[in-house]
Amino acid sequence: MATYYVAASGVNGDGSQGSPWVNLSNVVWGGSGLTAGDTLLLKGGDTFTEELVITEDGITIGSYGDGYAIIDADDTRDYCVKANGKSNLVISSL
């Protein structure tokens, strides 16, 4: 079980807190990235204007830093997270 970080801007890194992935499209799934039981933390105060498509089971999503992270894929706040039939998706206030 690992924890990975994402920010809405900056230089795309390795998913660590000091070097987060930039934007949801750069989240790495499987193999060398998120797998079942991992946690994905989005930078508080950031707004992500992309879909977050979950491709692994048992992923926990939360935020880090100050404020809340917002996922607003279509700029209407109607559609934010797509779990693609995966189970055990937990959205947490870590």
Coordinates of all heavy atoms in Angstrom, one line a residue:
M1 N 0.8 -1.2 0.0 CA 0.0 0.0 0.0 C 0.9 1.2 0.0 O 1.8 1.4 0.8 CB -0.9 0.0 1.2 CG -1.9 -1.2 1.2 SD -2.9 -1.4 2.7 CE -3.5 0.2 3.0
A2 N 0.6 2.1 -0.9 CA 1.4 3.3 -1.1 C 0.5 4.6 -1.2 O -0.7 4.4 -1.4 CB 2.3 3.2 -2.3
T3 N 1.1 5.7 -1.0 CA 0.4 7.0 -1.2 C 1.0 7.8 -2.3 O 2.2 7.9 -2.3 CB 0.4 7.8 0.1 OG1 -0.2 7.0 1.2 CG2 -0.4 9.1 0.0
Y4 N 0.2 8.3 -3.2 CA 0.7 9.1 -4.3 C 0.0 10.5 -4.3 O -1.2 10.6 -3.8 CB 0.4 8.4 -5.6 CG 1.2 7.1 -5.8 CD1 0.6 5.9 -5.5 CD2 2.5 7.1 -6.3 CE1 1.3 4.7 -5.6 CE2 3.2 6.0 -6.4 CZ 2.6 4.8 -6.0 OH 3.3 3.6 -6.2
Y5 N 0.6 11.5 -4.9 CA 0.1 12.8 -4.8 C 0.0 13.4 -6.2 O 0.7 13.1 -7.1 CB 1.2 13.7 -4.0 CG 1.3 13.2 -2.6 CD1 2.2 12.2 -2.3 CD2 0.6 13.9 -1.6 CE1 2.3 11.8 -1.0 CE2 0.8 13.5 -0.3 CZ 1.6 12.4 0.0 OH 1.7 12.0 1.3
V6 N -1.0 14.3 -6.3 CA -1.3 15.0 -7.6 C -1.6 16.4 -7.3 O -2.3 16.8 -6.4 CB -2.6 14.3 -8.3 CG1 -2.8 15.0 -9.7 CG2 -2.4 12.8 -8.5
A7 N -1.0 17.3 -8.2 CA -1.3 18.7 -8.1 C -1.8 19.2 -9.5 O -1.6 18.5 -10.5 CB 0.0 19.5 -7.8
A8 N -2.5 20.3 -9.6 CA -3.1 20.8 -10.8 C -2.0 21.5 -11.7 O -2.3 21.8 -12.9 CB -4.3 21.7 -10.5
S9 N -0.9 21.9 -11.1 CA 0.1 22.6 -11.9 C 1.5 22.3 -11.4 O 1.6 21.7 -10.3 CB -0.1 24.1 -11.8 OG 0.0 24.6 -10.5
G10 N 2.5 22.6 -12.1 CA 3.9 22.4 -11.8 C 4.5 21.5 -12.8 O 4.1 21.4 -14.0
V11 N 5.6 20.8 -12.4 CA 6.3 19.9 -13.3 C 6.0 18.5 -12.9 O 6.1 18.1 -11.8 CB 7.9 20.2 -13.2 CG1 8.6 19.2 -14.0 CG2 8.2 21.6 -13.5
N12 N 5.5 17.7 -13.9 CA 5.1 16.4 -13.6 C 6.3 15.6 -13.0 O 7.3 15.5 -13.6 CB 4.6 15.7 -14.9 CG 3.8 14.4 -14.6 OD1 3.0 14.4 -13.7 ND2 4.1 13.4 -15.4
G13 N 6.0 14.9 -11.9 CA 7.0 14.2 -11.2 C 6.7 12.7 -11.0 O 6.1 12.1 -11.9
D14 N 7.2 12.2 -9.9 CA 7.1 10.7 -9.7 C 5.9 10.3 -8.8 O 5.8 9.2 -8.5 CB 8.4 10.2 -9.1 CG 8.7 10.8 -7.8 OD1 7.9 11.6 -7.2 OD2 9.8 10.5 -7.3
G15 N 5.1 11.3 -8.5 CA 3.9 11.0 -7.6 C 4.2 11.1 -6.1 O 3.3 10.8 -5.3
S16 N 5.4 11.5 -5.8 CA 5.7 11.7 -4.3 C 5.1 13.1 -3.9 O 4.8 13.9 -4.8 CB 7.2 11.6 -4.1 OG 7.8 12.7 -4.8
Q17 N 5.1 13.4 -2.6 CA 4.6 14.7 -2.2 C 5.5 15.8 -2.7 O 5.0 16.9 -3.1 CB 4.4 14.7 -0.7 CG 3.8 16.0 -0.2 CD 3.4 16.0 1.3 OE1 3.7 15.1 2.0 NE2 2.7 17.0 1.7
G18 N 6.7 15.6 -2.7 CA 7.7 16.6 -3.1 C 7.7 16.8 -4.6 O 8.2 17.8 -5.1
S19 N 7.3 15.8 -5.4 CA 7.3 15.8 -6.8 C 6.0 15.1 -7.4 O 6.1 14.1 -8.0 CB 8.5 15.1 -7.3 OG 8.7 15.2 -8.7
P20 N 4.8 15.8 -7.1 CA 3.6 15.1 -7.5 C 3.4 15.0 -9.0 O 4.0 15.7 -9.8 CB 2.5 16.1 -6.9 CG 3.2 17.4 -6.8 CD 4.6 17.1 -6.6
W21 N 2.5 14.0 -9.3 CA 2.0 14.0 -10.7 C 1.2 15.3 -11.0 O 0.6 15.8 -10.0 CB 1.1 12.8 -10.9 CG 1.8 11.5 -10.9 CD1 3.0 11.2 -11.4 CD2 1.3 10.3 -10.3 NE1 3.3 9.8 -11.2 CE2 2.3 9.3 -10.5 CE3 0.2 9.9 -9.6 CZ2 2.2 8.0 -10.0 CZ3 0.0 8.6 -9.1 CH2 1.0 7.7 -9.3
V22 N 1.3 15.8 -12.2 CA 0.5 17.0 -12.5 C -0.7 16.7 -13.4 O -0.5 16.1 -14.4 CB 1.4 18.0 -13.2 CG1 0.6 19.2 -13.7 CG2 2.5 18.5 -12.3
N23 N -1.8 17.0 -12.9 CA -3.1 16.7 -13.5 C -3.5 15.2 -13.4 O -2.6 14.4 -13.3 CB -3.2 17.3 -14.9 CG -3.2 18.8 -14.9 OD1 -3.9 19.4 -14.1 ND2 -2.5 19.4 -15.8
L24 N -4.7 15.0 -13.5 CA -5.3 13.6 -13.3 C -4.9 12.7 -14.5 O -4.8 11.5 -14.3 CB -6.8 13.7 -13.1 CG -7.2 14.5 -11.9 CD1 -8.8 14.6 -11.9 CD2 -6.7 13.9 -10.6
S25 N -4.7 13.3 -15.7 CA -4.3 12.5 -16.8 C -2.9 11.9 -16.7 O -2.6 10.9 -17.4 CB -4.4 13.3 -18.1 OG -3.5 14.4 -18.0
N26 N -2.1 12.4 -15.7 CA -0.8 11.8 -15.5 C -0.7 10.8 -14.4 O 0.4 10.3 -14.1 CB 0.2 13.0 -15.3 CG 0.5 13.7 -16.5 OD1 0.7 13.2 -17.6 ND2 0.5 15.1 -16.5
V27 N -1.8 10.5 -13.8 CA -1.8 9.5 -12.7 C -1.4 8.1 -13.4 O -2.0 7.8 -14.4 CB -3.2 9.4 -12.0 CG1 -3.2 8.2 -11.1 CG2 -3.5 10.7 -11.3
V28 N -0.5 7.5 -12.8 CA 0.0 6.2 -13.3 C -0.7 5.0 -12.6 O -0.7 5.0 -11.4 CB 1.5 6.1 -13.1 CG1 2.0 4.7 -13.6 CG2 2.2 7.2 -13.8
W29 N -1.3 4.2 -13.4 CA -2.1 3.0 -12.8 C -1.3 1.7 -13.1 O -0.7 1.5 -14.1 CB -3.5 3.0 -13.5 CG -4.3 4.2 -13.2 CD1 -4.4 5.3 -14.0 CD2 -5.1 4.4 -12.0 NE1 -5.2 6.2 -13.4 CE2 -5.7 5.7 -12.2 CE3 -5.3 3.7 -10.9 CZ2 -6.5 6.3 -11.2 CZ3 -6.2 4.3 -9.9 CH2 -6.7 5.5 -10.1
G30 N -1.4 0.8 -12.1 CA -0.8 -0.5 -12.2 C 0.7 -0.5 -12.3 O 1.3 0.6 -12.3
G31 N 1.3 -1.6 -12.3 CA 2.7 -1.7 -12.4 C 3.5 -0.8 -11.5 O 3.7 -1.1 -10.4
S32 N 4.0 0.3 -12.1 CA 4.8 1.2 -11.3 C 4.0 2.4 -10.7 O 4.6 3.4 -10.2 CB 5.9 1.8 -12.2 OG 5.3 2.6 -13.2
G33 N 2.7 2.2 -10.6 CA 1.8 3.3 -10.1 C 0.8 2.7 -9.2 O 1.0 1.7 -8.5
L34 N -0.4 3.3 -9.1 CA -1.4 3.0 -8.2 C -2.0 1.6 -8.4 O -2.2 1.2 -9.6 CB -2.6 3.9 -8.3 CG -2.5 5.2 -7.5 CD1 -3.0 6.4 -8.4 CD2 -3.3 5.1 -6.3
T35 N -2.1 0.8 -7.3 CA -2.6 -0.5 -7.4 C -3.6 -0.7 -6.2 O -3.7 0.2 -5.4 CB -1.6 -1.6 -7.3 OG1 -0.8 -1.4 -6.1 CG2 -0.6 -1.6 -8.5
A36 N -4.3 -1.7 -6.1 CA -5.3 -2.0 -5.1 C -4.8 -1.7 -3.7 O -3.6 -2.1 -3.4 CB -5.8 -3.4 -5.2
G37 N -5.5 -0.9 -2.9 CA -5.1 -0.6 -1.6 C -4.3 0.7 -1.4 O -4.1 1.1 -0.3
D38 N -4.0 1.3 -2.5 CA -3.2 2.6 -2.5 C -4.1 3.8 -2.2 O -5.4 3.7 -2.3 CB -2.5 2.8 -3.8 CG -1.3 1.9 -3.9 OD1 -0.9 1.2 -2.9 OD2 -0.7 1.8 -5.1
T39 N -3.5 4.9 -1.9 CA -4.2 6.2 -1.7 C -3.7 7.2 -2.7 O -2.5 7.3 -2.9 CB -3.9 6.7 -0.2 OG1 -4.5 5.7 0.7 CG2 -4.6 8.0 0.0
L40 N -4.6 8.0 -3.2 CA -4.3 9.0 -4.2 C -4.8 10.3 -3.5 O -5.9 10.5 -3.2 CB -5.1 8.9 -5.5 CG -4.8 9.9 -6.5 CD1 -3.4 9.9 -7.0 CD2 -5.7 9.7 -7.7
L41 N -3.8 11.2 -3.2 CA -4.1 12.5 -2.6 C -4.0 13.7 -3.6 O -2.9 13.8 -4.2 CB -3.2 12.7 -1.4 CG -3.3 11.7 -0.3 CD1 -2.3 12.0 0.9 CD2 -4.7 11.7 0.3
L42 N -5.0 14.5 -3.7 CA -5.1 15.6 -4.6 C -4.8 16.9 -3.8 O -5.2 17.0 -2.6 CB -6.4 15.7 -5.2 CG -7.0 14.4 -5.9 CD1 -8.4 14.7 -6.5 CD2 -6.0 13.9 -6.9
K43 N -4.0 17.8 -4.3 CA -3.6 19.0 -3.6 C -4.8 19.9 -3.3 O -5.5 20.3 -4.1 CB -2.6 19.8 -4.4 CG -2.0 20.9 -3.7 CD -0.9 21.6 -4.5 CE -0.4 22.8 -3.7 NZ 0.5 23.6 -4.5
G44 N -4.9 20.2 -2.0 CA -6.0 21.0 -1.5 C -5.9 22.4 -2.1 O -4.8 22.9 -2.3
G45 N -7.0 23.0 -2.5 CA -7.1 24.3 -3.1 C -7.0 24.2 -4.6 O -7.3 25.2 -5.3
D46 N -6.6 23.1 -5.2 CA -6.5 23.0 -6.6 C -7.8 22.5 -7.2 O -8.6 21.8 -6.6 CB -5.4 21.9 -7.0 CG -4.0 22.5 -6.9 OD1 -3.9 23.6 -6.4 OD2 -3.1 21.7 -7.2
T47 N -8.1 22.9 -8.4 CA -9.3 22.5 -9.2 C -8.8 21.7 -10.4 O -7.9 22.2 -11.2 CB -10.2 23.6 -9.7 OG1 -10.7 24.3 -8.5 CG2 -11.3 23.1 -10.5
F48 N -9.2 20.4 -10.5 CA -8.8 19.6 -11.6 C -9.9 19.6 -12.6 O -11.1 19.2 -12.3 CB -8.5 18.2 -11.1 CG -7.4 18.1 -10.1 CD1 -7.6 18.4 -8.8 CD2 -6.1 17.9 -10.5 CE1 -6.5 18.4 -7.9 CE2 -5.0 17.9 -9.7 CZ -5.3 18.1 -8.3
T49 N -9.7 20.0 -13.8 CA -10.7 20.1 -14.9 C -10.6 18.9 -15.8 O -10.7 19.0 -17.0 CB -10.6 21.4 -15.6 OG1 -9.3 21.5 -16.2 CG2 -10.9 22.6 -14.7
E50 N -10.5 17.7 -15.3 CA -10.4 16.5 -16.0 C -11.2 15.4 -15.3 O -11.4 15.5 -14.1 CB -9.0 15.9 -16.1 CG -7.9 16.9 -16.5 CD -6.5 16.4 -16.2 OE1 -6.0 15.7 -17.0 OE2 -6.0 16.7 -15.1
E51 N -11.6 14.3 -16.0 CA -12.2 13.2 -15.3 C -11.1 12.4 -14.6 O -10.0 12.4 -15.0 CB -12.7 12.2 -16.4 CG -13.9 12.7 -17.2 CD -14.3 11.7 -18.2 OE1 -13.8 10.6 -18.3 OE2 -15.2 12.1 -19.0
L52 N -11.5 11.9 -13.5 CA -10.6 10.9 -12.8 C -11.2 9.6 -13.0 O -12.3 9.3 -12.6 CB -10.6 11.2 -11.3 CG -9.8 10.2 -10.4 CD1 -8.4 10.0 -10.9 CD2 -9.8 10.5 -9.0
V53 N -10.6 8.7 -13.8 CA -11.1 7.4 -14.2 C -10.3 6.4 -13.4 O -9.1 6.3 -13.5 CB -10.9 7.2 -15.7 CG1 -11.4 5.8 -16.0 CG2 -11.7 8.2 -16.5
I54 N -11.0 5.7 -12.5 CA -10.3 4.7 -11.6 C -10.2 3.4 -12.4 O -11.2 2.9 -12.9 CB -11.2 4.5 -10.3 CG1 -11.5 5.8 -9.6 CG2 -10.5 3.5 -9.4 CD1 -10.3 6.6 -9.2
T55 N -9.0 2.9 -12.5 CA -8.8 1.6 -13.2 C -8.3 0.5 -12.3 O -8.0 -0.6 -12.8 CB -7.7 1.9 -14.3 OG1 -6.5 2.2 -13.7 CG2 -8.2 2.9 -15.3
E56 N -8.3 0.7 -11.0 CA -7.9 -0.3 -10.0 C -8.9 -0.4 -8.9 O -9.5 0.6 -8.6 CB -6.5 0.0 -9.4 CG -5.3 0.1 -10.4 CD -4.9 -1.2 -11.0 OE1 -5.0 -2.3 -10.3 OE2 -4.5 -1.3 -12.1
D57 N -9.1 -1.6 -8.3 CA -9.9 -1.7 -7.2 C -9.3 -1.2 -5.9 O -8.1 -1.1 -5.8 CB -10.3 -3.2 -7.0 CG -11.2 -3.8 -8.0 OD1 -12.0 -3.1 -8.5 OD2 -11.0 -5.0 -8.3
G58 N -10.1 -0.8 -4.9 CA -9.6 -0.5 -3.6 C -8.8 0.7 -3.5 O -7.8 0.7 -2.7
I59 N -9.1 1.8 -4.2 CA -8.3 3.0 -4.2 C -9.0 4.0 -3.2 O -10.2 4.2 -3.3 CB -8.2 3.6 -5.6 CG1 -7.5 2.7 -6.5 CG2 -7.5 5.0 -5.5 CD1 -6.1 2.4 -6.2
T60 N -8.3 4.6 -2.4 CA -8.8 5.7 -1.5 C -8.3 7.0 -2.1 O -7.2 7.2 -2.4 CB -8.3 5.6 -0.1 OG1 -8.7 4.3 0.5 CG2 -8.8 6.7 0.8
I61 N -9.3 8.0 -2.2 CA -9.0 9.3 -2.7 C -9.2 10.3 -1.6 O -10.3 10.3 -1.0 CB -9.8 9.6 -3.9 CG1 -9.6 8.6 -5.0 CG2 -9.6 11.0 -4.4 CD1 -10.6 8.7 -6.1
G62 N -8.3 11.2 -1.4 CA -8.4 12.3 -0.5 C -7.7 13.5 -0.9 O -7.3 13.7 -2.1
S63 N -7.4 14.5 0.0 CA -6.7 15.7 -0.4 C -5.6 15.9 0.6 O -5.6 15.4 1.7 CB -7.6 16.9 -0.5 OG -8.2 17.2 0.7
Y64 N -4.6 16.7 0.3 CA -3.5 17.1 1.2 C -3.3 18.6 1.1 O -3.7 19.2 0.1 CB -2.2 16.3 0.9 CG -1.5 16.7 -0.4 CD1 -0.4 17.5 -0.4 CD2 -1.9 16.2 -1.7 CE1 0.2 17.9 -1.5 CE2 -1.3 16.6 -2.8 CZ -0.2 17.4 -2.8 OH 0.5 17.8 -3.9
G65 N -2.6 19.1 2.1 CA -2.4 20.6 2.1 C -3.6 21.3 2.6 O -4.5 20.7 3.2
D66 N -3.7 22.6 2.3 CA -4.8 23.4 2.8 C -6.0 23.4 1.8 O -5.8 23.4 0.6 CB -4.3 24.9 2.9 CG -3.2 25.0 3.9 OD1 -3.3 24.3 4.9 OD2 -2.3 25.9 3.7
G67 N -7.2 23.3 2.4 CA -8.4 23.4 1.6 C -8.7 22.0 1.0 O -8.1 21.0 1.3
Y68 N -9.7 22.1 0.1 CA -10.2 20.9 -0.5 C -9.8 20.9 -2.0 O -9.7 21.9 -2.6 CB -11.8 20.9 -0.5 CG -12.3 20.7 0.9 CD1 -12.8 21.9 1.5 CD2 -12.4 19.5 1.5 CE1 -13.3 21.7 2.8 CE2 -12.9 19.4 2.8 CZ -13.4 20.5 3.4 OH -13.9 20.4 4.7
A69 N -9.6 19.7 -2.5 CA -9.3 19.6 -4.0 C -10.7 19.4 -4.6 O -11.6 18.7 -4.1 CB -8.4 18.4 -4.2
I70 N -10.8 20.0 -5.8 CA -12.1 19.9 -6.6 C -11.8 19.2 -7.9 O -10.9 19.6 -8.6 CB -12.7 21.3 -6.8 CG1 -13.0 22.0 -5.5 CG2 -13.9 21.2 -7.7 CD1 -13.4 23.4 -5.6
I71 N -12.6 18.2 -8.2 CA -12.6 17.6 -9.5 C -13.8 18.0 -10.2 O -14.9 17.7 -9.8 CB -12.6 16.0 -9.4 CG1 -11.4 15.6 -8.6 CG2 -12.5 15.4 -10.8 CD1 -11.4 14.1 -8.3
D72 N -13.7 18.8 -11.3 CA -14.8 19.4 -12.0 C -14.6 19.2 -13.5 O -14.2 20.1 -14.3 CB -14.9 20.9 -11.7 CG -16.1 21.5 -12.3 OD1 -17.0 20.8 -12.7 OD2 -16.2 22.8 -12.2
A73 N -14.8 17.9 -13.9 CA -14.4 17.5 -15.3 C -15.0 18.2 -16.4 O -14.4 18.5 -17.4 CB -14.7 16.0 -15.4
D74 N -16.3 18.6 -16.2 CA -17.0 19.3 -17.4 C -17.4 20.7 -17.0 O -18.2 21.3 -17.7 CB -18.2 18.5 -17.8 CG -19.2 18.3 -16.7 OD1 -19.0 18.9 -15.6 OD2 -20.2 17.6 -17.0
D75 N -16.7 21.3 -16.0 CA -17.0 22.7 -15.6 C -18.4 22.9 -15.1 O -18.8 24.1 -15.1 CB -16.6 23.6 -16.7 CG -16.2 25.0 -16.2 OD1 -15.7 25.1 -15.0 OD2 -16.4 26.0 -16.9
T76 N -19.1 21.9 -14.8 CA -20.5 22.1 -14.2 C -20.6 21.4 -12.9 O -21.7 21.5 -12.3 CB -21.5 21.4 -15.2 OG1 -21.3 20.0 -15.2 CG2 -21.5 22.0 -16.6
R77 N -19.6 20.7 -12.5 CA -19.6 19.9 -11.2 C -20.7 18.8 -11.3 O -21.1 18.3 -10.2 CB -19.8 20.8 -10.0 CG -18.6 21.8 -9.9 CD -18.7 22.5 -8.6 NE -17.6 23.5 -8.7 CZ -17.0 24.0 -7.6 NH1 -17.3 23.6 -6.4 NH2 -16.1 24.9 -7.8
D78 N -21.1 18.4 -12.4 CA -22.0 17.3 -12.6 C -21.4 16.0 -12.7 O -22.0 14.9 -12.4 CB -22.9 17.5 -13.9 CG -23.8 18.7 -13.8 OD1 -24.2 19.0 -12.6 OD2 -24.2 19.2 -14.8
Y79 N -20.1 15.9 -13.1 CA -19.5 14.7 -13.4 C -18.0 14.7 -13.0 O -17.2 15.5 -13.5 CB -19.5 14.4 -14.9 CG -19.0 13.1 -15.3 CD1 -19.6 11.9 -15.0 CD2 -17.8 13.0 -16.0 CE1 -19.0 10.7 -15.3 CE2 -17.2 11.8 -16.4 CZ -17.8 10.6 -16.0 OH -17.3 9.4 -16.4
C80 N -17.7 14.0 -12.0 CA -16.3 14.1 -11.4 C -15.5 12.9 -11.4 O -14.3 12.9 -11.8 CB -16.5 14.6 -9.9 SG -17.2 16.2 -9.8
V81 N -16.0 11.8 -10.9 CA -15.2 10.5 -10.8 C -15.9 9.4 -11.5 O -17.1 9.2 -11.3 CB -15.0 10.2 -9.3 CG1 -14.2 8.9 -9.2 CG2 -14.3 11.3 -8.5
K82 N -15.2 8.7 -12.3 CA -15.8 7.5 -13.0 C -15.0 6.3 -12.5 O -13.8 6.2 -12.7 CB -15.6 7.7 -14.5 CG -16.2 6.7 -15.3 CD -16.0 7.0 -16.8 CE -16.7 6.0 -17.7 NZ -16.6 6.4 -19.1
A83 N -15.7 5.4 -11.9 CA -15.1 4.2 -11.3 C -15.0 3.0 -12.2 O -14.3 2.1 -11.8 CB -15.8 3.8 -10.0
N84 N -15.5 3.1 -13.4 CA -15.4 2.0 -14.4 C -15.6 0.6 -13.8 O -14.9 -0.3 -14.1 CB -14.0 2.0 -15.0 CG -13.9 2.9 -16.2 OD1 -14.8 3.6 -16.5 ND2 -12.8 3.0 -16.8
G85 N -16.7 0.5 -13.0 CA -17.0 -0.8 -12.4 C -16.1 -1.3 -11.4 O -16.2 -2.5 -11.0
K86 N -15.2 -0.5 -10.9 CA -14.3 -1.0 -9.9 C -14.9 -0.9 -8.5 O -15.8 -0.1 -8.3 CB -13.0 -0.1 -9.9 CG -12.2 -0.2 -11.2 CD -11.8 -1.6 -11.5 CE -11.1 -1.7 -12.9 NZ -10.8 -3.1 -13.2
S87 N -14.5 -1.7 -7.6 CA -15.1 -1.8 -6.3 C -14.2 -1.1 -5.2 O -13.0 -0.9 -5.4 CB -15.5 -3.2 -5.9 OG -14.3 -4.0 -5.8
N88 N -14.8 -0.9 -4.1 CA -14.1 -0.4 -2.9 C -13.4 1.0 -3.1 O -12.3 1.3 -2.6 CB -13.0 -1.4 -2.4 CG -13.6 -2.7 -2.1 OD1 -14.6 -2.8 -1.5 ND2 -13.0 -3.8 -2.5
L89 N -14.0 1.8 -3.9 CA -13.6 3.2 -4.1 C -14.0 4.0 -2.9 O -15.2 4.0 -2.5 CB -14.2 3.8 -5.4 CG -13.9 5.3 -5.6 CD1 -12.4 5.6 -5.8 CD2 -14.7 5.8 -6.7
V90 N -13.1 4.6 -2.2 CA -13.4 5.3 -1.0 C -12.9 6.8 -1.2 O -11.8 7.0 -1.6 CB -12.6 4.8 0.3 CG1 -12.9 5.6 1.5 CG2 -13.0 3.3 0.5
I91 N -13.8 7.7 -1.0 CA -13.4 9.1 -1.0 C -13.4 9.6 0.4 O -14.4 9.5 1.1 CB -14.4 10.0 -1.9 CG1 -14.3 9.4 -3.3 CG2 -14.0 11.4 -1.8 CD1 -15.2 10.2 -4.3
S92 N -12.2 10.1 0.8 CA -12.0 10.3 2.3 C -11.5 11.7 2.5 O -11.0 12.4 1.7 CB -10.8 9.3 2.7 OG -10.4 9.6 4.0
S93 N -11.7 12.1 3.8 CA -11.3 13.5 4.2 C -10.0 13.3 5.0 O -9.8 13.8 6.1 CB -12.3 14.1 5.0 OG -12.6 13.4 6.2
L94 N -9.0 12.6 4.4 CA -7.7 12.4 5.1 C -7.1 13.6 5.6 O -7.1 14.6 5.1 CB -6.8 11.7 4.1 CG -7.2 10.4 3.5 CD1 -6.3 9.9 2.4 CD2 -7.2 9.3 4.6

